[in-house]
Structures are given as C-alpha cells and as structure tokens.
Amino acid sequence: MEISWLQAILLGLFACLSSMPGMGGSSIGNYTLGRPLIGGLVCGVILGDVTTGVLVGCAMQVVYIALVTPGGTVSADVRAVSYIGIPLAMVALSSYGLSAASSEGAALATSFGTMVGTLGTVLFYGTATINLVWQHMGWKAVEKRDYRKLYLIDMGLPWLSHLACSFIPTVIMCKLGASVVELIKSTLPMDGIAMMTLFTVGSLLPCVGIAILLKQIVKKATDFVPFLFGFVLAASMGINLVSATVVAGMFAIINYKIKMLSVKGVEAAVEEEEEEI
Amino acid sequence: MEKKLSKKALLKSFHNWYYGHLTCFSQEHMQTFGYLCAMLPLVEELYTDEDAKAEAMNTYTAFFNTEPQLGTVVVGMTAGLEEARANGMDDVDEETINGLRAGLMGPIAGIGDSLVVGTVIPILLGIAMGMSGGGSPLGAIFYIITWNLFAYFGMRFLYFKGYNLGAKAVEFLIGAQGEAIRDSVSVLGGIVIGAVSATWVSVKTSFSLLNEAGEVYLDLQSKLDEVFPGLLTAVFIVICWFLMSKKQMSPIKVMLLLVVIAFIGVVIGFFNPGLAY
C-alpha cells in the first residue's frame, strides 16, 4: 500500500485541524478529529479502506482514551497519533498481511501509533513556540489599540505554525512511511525477539491509557469497585459496551438519588434549626 | 440610559470563545488571546470612547488558562461583569474581574479535566467503540454527533448561565448538587471504563508447562481465567495505576517500563504473540 501525494496532503490538512492547539478549535479539532477512533474513520476514507481505518483507530483509542492535558502539558500528540500513526499502521498491516481485526493486528497498530504519538510531542511544543511570535505581534496590536488585528493573531496566523509543525511533517512521514515499514520488515523478522517485544508492548500499552483514567476516578480502594464491576459485566457476563453503559447509568441514577437525599436532609435540618431561632 | 448587551454581540463573543480559545496557544500565554477575542465584540458594543475601550481590553490581557469547555462559564460571567462596569457600577473594576478569573481558573480546570475529558469523553468513546467493533464507521459517527452537540450546546448553556446568574452560576457547579452529579457521573464512568478495558485490552500469557509426554498439563492463561476472566489484564491495569498514582511516575516512564517488561517476558517465554511469516 502506497500513500499518494494527494492523500498525504489531505492527511496533513487534518493534522493541522486536529492537533492540540489545533485550527479546528478544541471541540471539533482536538476532541473530535484528534481522537484516534475518528482519525481512523477519516484516514480510512482518505486511504480507501474504512474498515481497517476504524479498526486501527479503535485499537489506538484505548491507549489514548483519557488524554488529559493538564495545564498544557502533553504526553502524546493527537495529530501524530491520528494522522501519522494510523496511516503508517495501515501501511504496515497491509505490508505484513495482517488483518486489523486480529489481536496481532491491533497490537502492531498500537505499538506503531504510540511510538509516533510520543515522538510527536515535539510537534506540540514546536507549534506552541512558533505561536509566541504571533502573540508578540498581538501585544503590539493591543498597545496600538488595533484590536481588530487580534482576530488575525488568534485565528489566522497560527495556520503558519501548523504549516511548519503539522502539515509538512505529516506529508513527509506519510510519504516516507511505506519505505520505512519495508525496511523494518526486511531487517527485523517477525519471530525475532525485537518484533515479538513490539507486539507484546502493543498489547500492554492500553493498560496505561486505562490507568491514566483510573487515576482521575480512583482515590481510595473502594473506588475500584465500579471499575471491576464493569470489567465483570463485559469479561465474565459477556455484556456488550452499549448495554453495559445502560446498566452503569442505572447505578449512576441510584447513586445520585442517594446523594441528593442526604443533601436535602441537611437542608431540611438547617431550616428547622432556623425556625427554632 | 442603561447599557444592555445585544444577543448578537453575546453570541459573537461566545462563538469567538468556542472556536478560538486555544487556536493561538503558547506555553506562556495559553488561552489569553482567545479570551481577548471573546471579549472584543462586547467591549466594542459597550464603549464608544477609545480610552474606555482600551481600559476594558487591558483587563483581559491578564493570563488565563482553564479547562475550556467548562471554563465558558467564566467568560459568560465576565460578560455580565463588563456590562455592569459599563453601567458605572462602582464595585466592579479591573481588580474584581481579574480576581474572579484567577480564582476560578484552578477549580474549574480541576472539575473540567476530570468531568469532561476524564469522564464524558471516555464514556462516549466507550459506547462508540462498542458500536465500531468489527470496523463499522457507525460508532465514530455516533461520537462525532453526540460529542459536538453536547460540547456546543453545553458550552452555550454555560456561557449564558454565567452571563445571567453571575457568581451564582458557579454555585451550581461546585455546590452540593454539582458534587452529587459529579460523583454519580464518575460511578458511570468507572463502570463503562471497566467494560471498555475488558472488551478492548487483552494481556495474555503463553506460559505453559509440559509433562514428559510433551502434553500441556499447566496452561497458565486458562488457569488464570478460571479464577477471574481477564485477570492478567486487570492486574496490569492496576499495576500501571499504582505506579502513576502512588509512585508519581509519568505515563511515558510507565510505557518505557512496559517495554522492558515485554522484552523480559518474551525472552523467558511468558509472552509470545505467536507470529511467523
């Protein structure tokens, strides 16, 4: 599978829109187009294989299910994961003759995507640094009371940062990708230790993604119970994700009602006390 | 005559924030320029005098960064405050406005990161991945629609809540009812994430012991699954959580550690993806 210039340019454009801080705005860009699941669909449409794209996107989505960027520090770059990692993983899968639906295929995709995503943080810091130039111009405009110029500073000029840090790297990586994959394939045999490690890492990495999420939810040992409950629903009872969400919603409602009961209880008690006074 | 912001100006301000809060991001000023662009339509409508305009705009050159979706409420609140200041209310000045912004940045970022990025997005993605298993684009499309409707109308709701209610708008978020909602949503999130990990993460061992006749008499993976289906996956997730939460390791360090574990595992035969050309 080869990626044509036109396809690479389209991928580059999506990389500009989707990154954090991207030109699509954070809701449409980072949180929609940047999510690997959506990136998988977009890459699938551009490269002409929707099924593989979505499957690769799903595999990588688990690793980045809770990509929180507190205070603007990133551990992975979504534009690199979704618009460099996914296309390269698709090229690799077709070159190795693996199906994206198999667990080996998912592991290969995850390893590739995560590697690219981690290296891609360079692009994030690059974009943010170039934006400093526009912001410097912005302060000058504020001083001169030329406020209308702020729109150009905030929404126009950052496109140039993305040309350098999103568009060009994506196009080059996607064009070079196929030959790099070939090189890896010919130097590292599939049953050698390096490739076996790569595949194993691919199956282990999603644990980090889930754990990042748990870090937000689990503060004490009992907070693990909802997580394990959901795990049992799917692993032991074979309930699918959509149905598991409905079950989870039921428990959330019960929890809310109990919590509100204690809130209202307190309020009623306070009112009574006030009346006595 | 009392000045009143028109709906048109408020909507323009909201849209500038909705799209532009992060487009010109840098590590130094973060969302400051997005904030300036959001306030500009309001300032232009409220003041005709150039000096008054400059004074107002100057207020918003102070640093701003928070979780942008939930942070919309702060922008709405300052819209209300700016209107009050233009009407000559004495106790509203640059100091009160920036005190409020600086005071809310932290708590809203904390709630927003765990509620929006750490819970709502993963739940939607979890359901979407359930629908996209097998490579169907349906789940991805589901996510695109639900998340963007939620983000746009949710942010719009918060903006106008902030504008109309002022400080009361935040009580809704950090008050007792807000607390109950957040707690329930995190129960929902915990269960869904459990189901997502059981469905999409698969850590398996290939370790087995053979008897003298060369037959397998201990297949570790199936023994472990008899105890608790998916035990190894759950254990790896908890280990990653422990390292990040209790040992304060960064996600990248944990990932590197997993590479080491995978390598050792492959060498001693604990992991074997079982691939060959």
Side-chain angles (χ1 to χ4, degrees), chain B residues 188-213:
Chain B
L188 174 71
I191 299 175
V192 172
I193 294 316
V196 166
S197 21
T199 312
W200 286 97
V201 188
S202 157
V203 181
K204 285 202 166 87
T205 176
S206 57
F207 187 78
S208 60
L209 290 176
L210 305 176
N211 64 11
E212 280 154 15

PDB file of all heavy atoms in Angstrom, chain B residues 188-213:
ATOM      1  N   LEU B 188     -20.675   6.112  36.871  1.00  0.00           N
ATOM      2  CA  LEU B 188     -20.988   5.706  35.495  1.00  0.00           C
ATOM      3  C   LEU B 188     -19.696   5.500  34.705  1.00  0.00           C
ATOM      4  O   LEU B 188     -19.502   4.470  34.060  1.00  0.00           O
ATOM      5  CB  LEU B 188     -21.849   6.792  34.841  1.00  0.00           C
ATOM      6  CG  LEU B 188     -22.196   6.655  33.366  1.00  0.00           C
ATOM      7  CD1 LEU B 188     -23.180   5.524  33.166  1.00  0.00           C
ATOM      8  CD2 LEU B 188     -22.792   7.945  32.830  1.00  0.00           C
ATOM      9  N   GLY B 189     -18.791   6.485  34.796  1.00  0.00           N
ATOM     10  CA  GLY B 189     -17.525   6.395  34.073  1.00  0.00           C
ATOM     11  C   GLY B 189     -16.722   5.178  34.484  1.00  0.00           C
ATOM     12  O   GLY B 189     -16.191   4.461  33.642  1.00  0.00           O
ATOM     13  N   GLY B 190     -16.646   4.927  35.782  1.00  0.00           N
ATOM     14  CA  GLY B 190     -15.877   3.778  36.277  1.00  0.00           C
ATOM     15  C   GLY B 190     -16.365   2.468  35.694  1.00  0.00           C
ATOM     16  O   GLY B 190     -15.571   1.654  35.210  1.00  0.00           O
ATOM     17  N   ILE B 191     -17.698   2.290  35.690  1.00  0.00           N
ATOM     18  CA  ILE B 191     -18.261   1.033  35.183  1.00  0.00           C
ATOM     19  C   ILE B 191     -17.980   0.895  33.679  1.00  0.00           C
ATOM     20  O   ILE B 191     -17.543  -0.150  33.205  1.00  0.00           O
ATOM     21  CB  ILE B 191     -19.775   0.948  35.474  1.00  0.00           C
ATOM     22  CG1 ILE B 191     -20.013   0.985  36.994  1.00  0.00           C
ATOM     23  CG2 ILE B 191     -20.370  -0.332  34.889  1.00  0.00           C
ATOM     24  CD1 ILE B 191     -21.477   1.023  37.399  1.00  0.00           C
ATOM     25  N   VAL B 192     -18.224   1.991  32.940  1.00  0.00           N
ATOM     26  CA  VAL B 192     -18.015   1.915  31.489  1.00  0.00           C
ATOM     27  C   VAL B 192     -16.550   1.626  31.166  1.00  0.00           C
ATOM     28  O   VAL B 192     -16.236   0.806  30.293  1.00  0.00           O
ATOM     29  CB  VAL B 192     -18.478   3.221  30.786  1.00  0.00           C
ATOM     30  CG1 VAL B 192     -18.087   3.213  29.325  1.00  0.00           C
ATOM     31  CG2 VAL B 192     -19.978   3.379  30.930  1.00  0.00           C
ATOM     32  N   ILE B 193     -15.633   2.276  31.898  1.00  0.00           N
ATOM     33  CA  ILE B 193     -14.219   2.054  31.631  1.00  0.00           C
ATOM     34  C   ILE B 193     -13.819   0.608  31.938  1.00  0.00           C
ATOM     35  O   ILE B 193     -13.019   0.002  31.249  1.00  0.00           O
ATOM     36  CB  ILE B 193     -13.356   3.048  32.449  1.00  0.00           C
ATOM     37  CG1 ILE B 193     -13.599   4.463  31.958  1.00  0.00           C
ATOM     38  CG2 ILE B 193     -11.874   2.723  32.350  1.00  0.00           C
ATOM     39  CD1 ILE B 193     -13.637   4.604  30.452  1.00  0.00           C
ATOM     40  N   GLY B 194     -14.435   0.050  33.003  1.00  0.00           N
ATOM     41  CA  GLY B 194     -14.200  -1.365  33.297  1.00  0.00           C
ATOM     42  C   GLY B 194     -14.599  -2.233  32.121  1.00  0.00           C
ATOM     43  O   GLY B 194     -13.857  -3.118  31.690  1.00  0.00           O
ATOM     44  N   ALA B 195     -15.795  -1.950  31.576  1.00  0.00           N
ATOM     45  CA  ALA B 195     -16.272  -2.730  30.436  1.00  0.00           C
ATOM     46  C   ALA B 195     -15.388  -2.510  29.209  1.00  0.00           C
ATOM     47  O   ALA B 195     -15.086  -3.454  28.471  1.00  0.00           O
ATOM     48  CB  ALA B 195     -17.724  -2.365  30.122  1.00  0.00           C
ATOM     49  N   VAL B 196     -14.946  -1.251  29.006  1.00  0.00           N
ATOM     50  CA  VAL B 196     -14.066  -0.960  27.867  1.00  0.00           C
ATOM     51  C   VAL B 196     -12.769  -1.753  27.994  1.00  0.00           C
ATOM     52  O   VAL B 196     -12.313  -2.378  27.032  1.00  0.00           O
ATOM     53  CB  VAL B 196     -13.738   0.554  27.779  1.00  0.00           C
ATOM     54  CG1 VAL B 196     -12.568   0.811  26.841  1.00  0.00           C
ATOM     55  CG2 VAL B 196     -14.947   1.334  27.314  1.00  0.00           C
ATOM     56  N   SER B 197     -12.198  -1.796  29.206  1.00  0.00           N
ATOM     57  CA  SER B 197     -10.911  -2.499  29.311  1.00  0.00           C
ATOM     58  C   SER B 197     -11.088  -3.997  29.139  1.00  0.00           C
ATOM     59  O   SER B 197     -10.238  -4.649  28.539  1.00  0.00           O
ATOM     60  CB  SER B 197     -10.176  -2.184  30.613  1.00  0.00           C
ATOM     61  OG  SER B 197     -11.020  -1.721  31.589  1.00  0.00           O
ATOM     62  N   ALA B 198     -12.199  -4.548  29.649  1.00  0.00           N
ATOM     63  CA  ALA B 198     -12.391  -5.987  29.465  1.00  0.00           C
ATOM     64  C   ALA B 198     -12.609  -6.320  27.994  1.00  0.00           C
ATOM     65  O   ALA B 198     -12.235  -7.393  27.523  1.00  0.00           O
ATOM     66  CB  ALA B 198     -13.577  -6.460  30.295  1.00  0.00           C
ATOM     67  N   THR B 199     -13.209  -5.390  27.249  1.00  0.00           N
ATOM     68  CA  THR B 199     -13.513  -5.659  25.845  1.00  0.00           C
ATOM     69  C   THR B 199     -12.306  -5.421  24.939  1.00  0.00           C
ATOM     70  O   THR B 199     -12.060  -6.177  24.014  1.00  0.00           O
ATOM     71  CB  THR B 199     -14.679  -4.755  25.362  1.00  0.00           C
ATOM     72  OG1 THR B 199     -15.735  -4.828  26.321  1.00  0.00           O
ATOM     73  CG2 THR B 199     -15.191  -5.198  24.012  1.00  0.00           C
ATOM     74  N   TRP B 200     -11.546  -4.344  25.225  1.00  0.00           N
ATOM     75  CA  TRP B 200     -10.531  -3.912  24.259  1.00  0.00           C
ATOM     76  C   TRP B 200      -9.100  -4.167  24.680  1.00  0.00           C
ATOM     77  O   TRP B 200      -8.194  -4.067  23.866  1.00  0.00           O
ATOM     78  CB  TRP B 200     -10.699  -2.425  23.959  1.00  0.00           C
ATOM     79  CG  TRP B 200     -11.879  -2.180  23.094  1.00  0.00           C
ATOM     80  CD1 TRP B 200     -13.118  -1.807  23.506  1.00  0.00           C
ATOM     81  CD2 TRP B 200     -11.955  -2.325  21.677  1.00  0.00           C
ATOM     82  NE1 TRP B 200     -13.958  -1.705  22.440  1.00  0.00           N
ATOM     83  CE2 TRP B 200     -13.268  -2.010  21.308  1.00  0.00           C
ATOM     84  CE3 TRP B 200     -11.032  -2.683  20.691  1.00  0.00           C
ATOM     85  CZ2 TRP B 200     -13.693  -2.049  19.988  1.00  0.00           C
ATOM     86  CZ3 TRP B 200     -11.461  -2.713  19.377  1.00  0.00           C
ATOM     87  CH2 TRP B 200     -12.771  -2.405  19.035  1.00  0.00           C
ATOM     88  N   VAL B 201      -8.858  -4.426  25.960  1.00  0.00           N
ATOM     89  CA  VAL B 201      -7.481  -4.673  26.375  1.00  0.00           C
ATOM     90  C   VAL B 201      -7.342  -6.159  26.627  1.00  0.00           C
ATOM     91  O   VAL B 201      -8.190  -6.771  27.270  1.00  0.00           O
ATOM     92  CB  VAL B 201      -7.135  -3.889  27.660  1.00  0.00           C
ATOM     93  CG1 VAL B 201      -5.657  -4.010  27.962  1.00  0.00           C
ATOM     94  CG2 VAL B 201      -7.538  -2.438  27.512  1.00  0.00           C
ATOM     95  N   SER B 202      -6.283  -6.729  26.098  1.00  0.00           N
ATOM     96  CA  SER B 202      -6.129  -8.157  26.276  1.00  0.00           C
ATOM     97  C   SER B 202      -4.664  -8.483  26.525  1.00  0.00           C
ATOM     98  O   SER B 202      -3.846  -8.482  25.620  1.00  0.00           O
ATOM     99  CB  SER B 202      -6.667  -8.867  25.036  1.00  0.00           C
ATOM    100  OG  SER B 202      -6.096 -10.129  24.920  1.00  0.00           O
ATOM    101  N   VAL B 203      -4.336  -8.724  27.799  1.00  0.00           N
ATOM    102  CA  VAL B 203      -2.981  -9.154  28.145  1.00  0.00           C
ATOM    103  C   VAL B 203      -3.051 -10.649  28.387  1.00  0.00           C
ATOM    104  O   VAL B 203      -3.827 -11.114  29.223  1.00  0.00           O
ATOM    105  CB  VAL B 203      -2.470  -8.425  29.408  1.00  0.00           C
ATOM    106  CG1 VAL B 203      -1.059  -8.872  29.733  1.00  0.00           C
ATOM    107  CG2 VAL B 203      -2.524  -6.927  29.207  1.00  0.00           C
ATOM    108  N   LYS B 204      -2.273 -11.382  27.614  1.00  0.00           N
ATOM    109  CA  LYS B 204      -2.334 -12.850  27.717  1.00  0.00           C
ATOM    110  C   LYS B 204      -0.933 -13.400  27.870  1.00  0.00           C
ATOM    111  O   LYS B 204       0.022 -12.890  27.290  1.00  0.00           O
ATOM    112  CB  LYS B 204      -2.981 -13.435  26.458  1.00  0.00           C
ATOM    113  CG  LYS B 204      -4.483 -13.247  26.398  1.00  0.00           C
ATOM    114  CD  LYS B 204      -5.066 -14.284  25.444  1.00  0.00           C
ATOM    115  CE  LYS B 204      -6.575 -14.396  25.589  1.00  0.00           C
ATOM    116  NZ  LYS B 204      -7.292 -13.436  24.757  1.00  0.00           N
ATOM    117  N   THR B 205      -0.801 -14.482  28.648  1.00  0.00           N
ATOM    118  CA  THR B 205       0.484 -15.147  28.761  1.00  0.00           C
ATOM    119  C   THR B 205       0.470 -16.427  27.933  1.00  0.00           C
ATOM    120  O   THR B 205      -0.593 -17.023  27.724  1.00  0.00           O
ATOM    121  CB  THR B 205       0.812 -15.478  30.229  1.00  0.00           C
ATOM    122  OG1 THR B 205       2.027 -16.196  30.242  1.00  0.00           O
ATOM    123  CG2 THR B 205      -0.279 -16.301  30.880  1.00  0.00           C
ATOM    124  N   SER B 206       1.644 -16.782  27.448  1.00  0.00           N
ATOM    125  CA  SER B 206       1.733 -18.023  26.689  1.00  0.00           C
ATOM    126  C   SER B 206       2.414 -19.096  27.527  1.00  0.00           C
ATOM    127  O   SER B 206       2.772 -20.158  27.043  1.00  0.00           O
ATOM    128  CB  SER B 206       2.534 -17.780  25.406  1.00  0.00           C
ATOM    129  OG  SER B 206       3.801 -17.267  25.759  1.00  0.00           O
ATOM    130  N   PHE B 207       2.600 -18.793  28.834  1.00  0.00           N
ATOM    131  CA  PHE B 207       3.361 -19.687  29.700  1.00  0.00           C
ATOM    132  C   PHE B 207       2.601 -20.995  29.911  1.00  0.00           C
ATOM    133  O   PHE B 207       1.426 -21.008  30.258  1.00  0.00           O
ATOM    134  CB  PHE B 207       3.596 -19.002  31.044  1.00  0.00           C
ATOM    135  CG  PHE B 207       4.511 -19.745  31.955  1.00  0.00           C
ATOM    136  CD1 PHE B 207       5.890 -19.706  31.768  1.00  0.00           C
ATOM    137  CD2 PHE B 207       3.997 -20.504  32.995  1.00  0.00           C
ATOM    138  CE1 PHE B 207       6.731 -20.399  32.608  1.00  0.00           C
ATOM    139  CE2 PHE B 207       4.841 -21.211  33.838  1.00  0.00           C
ATOM    140  CZ  PHE B 207       6.207 -21.163  33.643  1.00  0.00           C
ATOM    141  N   SER B 208       3.307 -22.110  29.691  1.00  0.00           N
ATOM    142  CA  SER B 208       2.681 -23.402  29.973  1.00  0.00           C
ATOM    143  C   SER B 208       3.761 -24.399  30.359  1.00  0.00           C
ATOM    144  O   SER B 208       4.930 -24.239  30.012  1.00  0.00           O
ATOM    145  CB  SER B 208       1.897 -23.897  28.768  1.00  0.00           C
ATOM    146  OG  SER B 208       2.784 -24.041  27.687  1.00  0.00           O
ATOM    147  N   LEU B 209       3.373 -25.407  31.103  1.00  0.00           N
ATOM    148  CA  LEU B 209       4.323 -26.459  31.486  1.00  0.00           C
ATOM    149  C   LEU B 209       3.920 -27.752  30.779  1.00  0.00           C
ATOM    150  O   LEU B 209       2.742 -28.070  30.657  1.00  0.00           O
ATOM    151  CB  LEU B 209       4.300 -26.665  33.005  1.00  0.00           C
ATOM    152  CG  LEU B 209       4.890 -25.512  33.837  1.00  0.00           C
ATOM    153  CD1 LEU B 209       4.715 -25.799  35.315  1.00  0.00           C
ATOM    154  CD2 LEU B 209       6.357 -25.290  33.496  1.00  0.00           C
ATOM    155  N   LEU B 210       4.938 -28.453  30.304  1.00  0.00           N
ATOM    156  CA  LEU B 210       4.661 -29.696  29.585  1.00  0.00           C
ATOM    157  C   LEU B 210       5.028 -30.885  30.468  1.00  0.00           C
ATOM    158  O   LEU B 210       5.985 -30.827  31.240  1.00  0.00           O
ATOM    159  CB  LEU B 210       5.484 -29.764  28.297  1.00  0.00           C
ATOM    160  CG  LEU B 210       5.338 -28.582  27.335  1.00  0.00           C
ATOM    161  CD1 LEU B 210       6.276 -28.743  26.160  1.00  0.00           C
ATOM    162  CD2 LEU B 210       3.903 -28.466  26.868  1.00  0.00           C
ATOM    163  N   ASN B 211       4.293 -31.972  30.352  1.00  0.00           N
ATOM    164  CA  ASN B 211       4.692 -33.195  31.064  1.00  0.00           C
ATOM    165  C   ASN B 211       5.675 -33.983  30.200  1.00  0.00           C
ATOM    166  O   ASN B 211       6.050 -33.555  29.100  1.00  0.00           O
ATOM    167  CB  ASN B 211       3.459 -34.011  31.474  1.00  0.00           C
ATOM    168  CG  ASN B 211       2.693 -34.503  30.267  1.00  0.00           C
ATOM    169  OD1 ASN B 211       3.180 -34.418  29.136  1.00  0.00           O
ATOM    170  ND2 ASN B 211       1.489 -34.997  30.501  1.00  0.00           N
ATOM    171  N   GLU B 212       6.088 -35.154  30.680  1.00  0.00           N
ATOM    172  CA  GLU B 212       7.147 -35.889  29.980  1.00  0.00           C
ATOM    173  C   GLU B 212       6.736 -36.301  28.574  1.00  0.00           C
ATOM    174  O   GLU B 212       7.563 -36.401  27.678  1.00  0.00           O
ATOM    175  CB  GLU B 212       7.544 -37.126  30.800  1.00  0.00           C
ATOM    176  CG  GLU B 212       8.492 -36.746  31.924  1.00  0.00           C
ATOM    177  CD  GLU B 212       8.414 -37.733  33.087  1.00  0.00           C
ATOM    178  OE1 GLU B 212       7.858 -38.833  32.905  1.00  0.00           O
ATOM    179  OE2 GLU B 212       8.895 -37.383  34.171  1.00  0.00           O
ATOM    180  N   ALA B 213       5.447 -36.562  28.374  1.00  0.00           N
ATOM    181  CA  ALA B 213       4.986 -36.969  27.050  1.00  0.00           C
ATOM    182  C   ALA B 213       4.831 -35.777  26.109  1.00  0.00           C
ATOM    183  O   ALA B 213       4.414 -35.942  24.966  1.00  0.00           O
ATOM    184  CB  ALA B 213       3.645 -37.708  27.186  1.00  0.00           C
TER     185      ALA B 213
END
